[in-house]
Amino acid sequence: MPRPLVATVDIAALQHNLDVAKAHAPHAKIWAIVKANAYGHGLERAIRGFSKADGLGLIEPEAALALRELGWSKRILLLEGCFDAADLHAAAAHHIDIVVHSMEQLVLLERAALAEQVDVHLKINSGMNRLGFIPAICRDVYERLRCLPYVRKISFLTHFANADDASNPALPLSEQMHRFQMATQGLAGERCLSNSAADLLHADCAADWVRPGIMLYGATPSPQTAASFGLQPAMTLRSEIIGIQHIARGDAVGYGSRFVAESPMTIGVVACGYADGYPRHAPTGTPVLVDGIKTRMVGRVSMDMITVDLTNLQNAKVGSSVTLWGDGLPIDDVASAAGTVGYELMCAVAPRVRIIEVNG
């Protein structure tokens, strides 16, 4: 018998969440973001879940080629561009769009003498200060790209730092919009600004394309709940109770004996730990569901197990179903309790965890 820990990926939920993204930007085309193995959901599943998307975006050149091998014939965008000349030639040969975000990448492209044309997305640093050209030099970069016979279309994109906090005093969303508009004024080409937060909260940012990521998998970058936007969890991580201990007042649980019972308790042991991707730093109180009833994790997360409070769950037993996140327990709730974000939990699911599909 296999270990009872299973991650279920709901293809219909992926499709539904893409529809939600489209409904928020009905006149824009969609890059569905599938980096990090589609946020842990799998590229092959993402192709089916996002079959209605206009393109797929990711950062890994080898994964972009894998998408072609899997049969994705529509557009693919490398969000960090190419890392060497071989990547450039492969991108052109397989009709993969590339971002150019630095002078080094621009020079690499100029020297490449590609045999086939490639579509280029000029990335503008509008204040995030990670990747991109400052607005003052974007026009010069654009003209240099136009001079290359193997550059076909030139588009523009930027990335918002605070779309979930539009009035952030350090960098308001409106300031990033202004910088982007100044950088691209009078230049021909499609625009792409909106990430998930902007797609959900700021319809005026939609432009020609939007590029939702986390929302497609049923989590939200916003303080609002995913359910309030109509999003559905695409991944549910489930396990079972594999052992039960009855402890007395003053007894401790787990490594470091950090959790000490204040009264008699029933403790359930769950087959899931940090080697499976459950956050090691999750504290006592992190929510879990046992047979559909919410309870809490207690003690430290260990490599292969966590312990949960069954004191008030009289019907719980060895074999009882445990939901770590997903259907009935939003991943954002678990992430918040653990001091992290849903993105990390999805991406951290380990290779040893079995993945099965529903509604595929």
Side-chain angles (χ1 to χ4, degrees), residues 76-121:
I76 299 172
L77 173 60
L78 284 173
L79 294 162
E80 290 182 359
C82 292
F83 302 102
D84 58 30
D87 289 343
L88 281 173
H89 288 280
H94 293 276
H95 309 291
I96 295 168
D97 294 23
I98 62 169
V99 162
V100 171
H101 62 70
S102 67
M103 280 297 179
E104 291 80 5
Q105 284 190 333
L106 176 59
V107 171
L108 186 70
L109 181 59
E110 288 174 328
R111 294 175 177 173
L114 298 178
E116 298 185 59
Q117 288 190 312
V118 64
D119 290 337
V120 173
H121 300 249

Side-chain angles (χ1 to χ4, degrees), residues 138-331:
C138 285
R139 190 171 300 273
D140 290 340
V141 174
Y142 178 82
E143 293 301 333
R144 286 173 65 171
L145 289 170
R146 285 188 61 195
C147 290
L148 300 177
Y150 42 85
V151 170
R152 189 176 63 163
K153 291 170 55 179
I154 303 172
S155 302
F156 304 92
L157 78 163
T158 194
H159 192 65
F160 293 135
N162 300 307
D164 58 332
D165 180 20
S167 299
N168 187 296
L171 184 63
L173 181 67
S174 59
E175 176 61 21
Q176 285 199 263
M177 287 283 292
H178 173 72
R179 294 178 188 181
F180 181 84
Q181 290 163 357
M182 291 299 100
T184 61
Q185 189 172 14
L187 301 180
E190 293 182 324
R191 273 75 166 153
C192 179
L193 298 91
S194 294
N195 53 9
S196 288
D199 182 69
L200 291 170
L201 301 171
H202 307 287
D204 56 322
C205 297
D208 301 294
W209 289 77
V210 295
R211 51 178 195 280
I214 190 66
M215 67 175 291
L216 299 179
Y217 304 95
T220 172
S222 164
Q224 297 170 245
T225 66
S228 71
F229 294 110
L231 300 171
Q232 298 175 358
M235 176 191 289
T236 298
L237 186 64
R238 291 190 179 92
S239 189
E240 292 179 3
I241 300 292
I242 61 170
I244 293 177
Q245 298 289 338
H246 300 281
I247 65 175
R249 181 179 184 275
D251 284 348
V253 177
Y255 285 120
S257 300
R258 289 192 174 184
F259 178 81
V260 178
E262 296 180 353
S263 59
M265 294 182 67
T266 302
I267 300 295
V269 182
V270 181
C272 180
Y274 62 76
D276 302 298
Y278 197 83
R280 183 177 182 274
H281 50 278
T284 290
T286 299
V288 297
L289 300 182
V290 177
D291 288 336
I293 301 171
K294 184 178 286 189
T295 184
R296 60 176 179 150
M297 194 196 76
V298 296
R300 275 185 176 176
V301 176
S302 48
M303 181 179 286
D304 310 304
M305 291 171 275
I306 63 172
T307 43
V308 298
D309 184 359
L310 301 181
T311 306
N312 296 319
L313 281 67
Q314 296 181 356
N315 296 322
K317 60 186 182 299
V318 170
S320 285
S321 174
V322 178
T323 300
L324 287 312
W325 64 67
D327 187 18
L329 180 60
I331 194 170

Side-chain angles (χ1 to χ4, degrees), residues 11 14-15 18 34 38 41-53 56 63-64 66-74 76 217:
I11 303 299
L14 295 174
Q15 295 166 340
L18 181 69
V34 296
H41 294 68
L43 290 177
E44 192 275 336
R45 298 179 193 92
I47 284 178
R48 288 182 285 125
F50 306 140
S51 61
K52 294 181 181 178
L56 300 178
L67 288 173
R68 289 290 185 236
E69 293 171 0
L70 288 167
W72 181 264
S73 59
K74 290 191 277 187
I76 299 172
Y217 304 95

